[in-house]
Amino acid sequence: MTESPVGSRYARTRDIVAAAVVLLVLTAVLVIVLVQVWPPAPTVAPDGRTEIPARTTTVELLGWSPTLSRETSLFVIVMAAGAIGSVVHVLRSFYWYVGNRALRRSWLVMYLLLPVVGALLALIVYLVLRGGLTSPAGGASDINPYGITAIAALVGLFSRETSEKLRSVFSTLLAYAPPGRDQVLEPRITAIEPASGPVGTTVAIHGTGLGSAAAVRFGAAESRISDAADTLIRTAVPPGATTGPPVVITPAGSVTGPEPFTVE
């Protein structure tokens, strides 16, 4: 039985609202965890000397009162900050695509998993820094929590750029791995068929990394994707289209076609 257009729109709206609620609740939980687990600041002794911070601290998390060492607190802070950075990226992308009615339901799982990726990537960067592979580091009492939190949040916010940077830094230490099918390719356009046509013409755009494309711009006019795959997307020339290279819009950025499309 085919789902009616009204039912399809209802299901789409329901999924978007559910994803938005989950993201907002996740944001609140991460902020609470970050604040509660934050290590106490060093105290100053009566003689003016700065005392060493306490080695352990007891936190309050929704009725749970665990006692964490400073090392453990730093791990939790790094992962929470990395997840928060990714949530900022997700929320910014989410409201943009919802507002432009270009959100695809298949992206919702990606949006929900991206904070996990940000948390784990922030943890990896923290371990790299603490391991002294890029710079020397002292013990837990010497670590500035504000500094590592800022780095972790930026790693989560720019997780893709961080991955690329780590790959370029450590590629000389590890063997080169050829691209696999599970690796995301940079969006690229190789051909456009046909090269001309009036409004309403179905246009096939060939390339790589096009599976997540949201829309195609023909000048200032934008059209939706009717069929999307990694190497091929199809769309129709929208009203108001003008002659020029089509621009494919993806979550990774916009990519411009190598040849202009002539609107007849």
Side-chain angles (χ1 to χ4, degrees):
M1 182 175 179
T2 304
E3 187 177 17
S4 66
V6 175
S8 177
R9 287 196 298 270
Y10 172 78
R12 175 185 174 86
T13 302
R14 180 194 60 198
D15 292 344
I16 291 175
V17 172
V21 171
V22 170
L23 290 172
L24 292 177
V25 171
L26 177 61
T27 302
V29 170
L30 290 172
V31 172
I32 292 173
V33 170
L34 185 64
V35 173
Q36 291 294 326
V37 181
W38 196 267
T43 57
V44 180
D47 59 1
R49 293 179 302 174
T50 301
E51 296 181 349
I52 298 176
R55 294 185 176 181
T56 60
T57 182
T58 301
V59 299
E60 297 290 339
L61 294 173
L62 303 177
W64 183 39
S65 304
T67 299
L68 305 179
S69 66
R70 186 173 175 83
E71 284 281 10
T72 303
S73 296
L74 293 177
F75 278 113
V76 175
I77 289 171
V78 164
M79 296 185 69
I84 289 174
S86 291
V87 167
V88 171
H89 171 75
V90 167
L91 292 176
R92 184 177 59 187
S93 175
F94 186 79
Y95 83 73
W96 190 92
Y97 280 107
V98 171
N100 287 277
R101 297 183 179 182
L103 180 69
R104 300 175 64 182
R105 291 167 66 182
S106 59
W107 295 351
L108 297 180
V109 175
M110 177 191 70
Y111 282 149
L112 295 176
L113 292 180
L114 192 57
V116 178
V117 175
L120 295 177
L121 191 57
L123 178 62
I124 292 174
V125 172
Y126 174 68
L127 293 175
V128 170
L129 296 176
R130 286 297 304 275
L133 296 182
T134 59
S135 62
S141 60
D142 301 321
I143 298 297
N144 180 0
Y146 291 97
I148 63 167
T149 302
I151 293 174
L154 291 173
V155 167
L157 183 60
F158 302 102
S159 57
R160 180 181 177 185
E161 291 82 354
T162 301
S163 300
E164 292 297 327
K165 187 63 176 179
L166 288 175
R167 184 176 66 175
S168 64
V169 169
F170 294 102
S171 60
T172 57
L173 301 177
L174 305 174
Y176 172 75
R181 296 184 62 182
D182 60 338
Q183 292 178 287
V184 178
L185 299 177
E186 292 285 344
R188 186 168 65 92
I189 299 175
T190 57
I192 301 172
E193 297 178 345
S196 62
V199 172
T201 301
T202 299
V203 179
I205 300 177
H206 301 268
T208 57
L210 302 177
S212 60
V216 179
R217 285 202 304 265
F218 292 82
E222 188 172 290
S223 65
R224 294 189 178 184
I225 304 296
S226 60
D227 186 18
D230 284 341
T231 58
L232 173 65
I233 59 175
R234 288 187 175 90
T235 188
V237 180
T242 57
T243 298
V247 178
V248 177
I249 302 172
T250 74
S254 300
V255 55
T256 304
E259 299 291 341
F261 178 87
T262 302
V263 180
E264 299 175 348

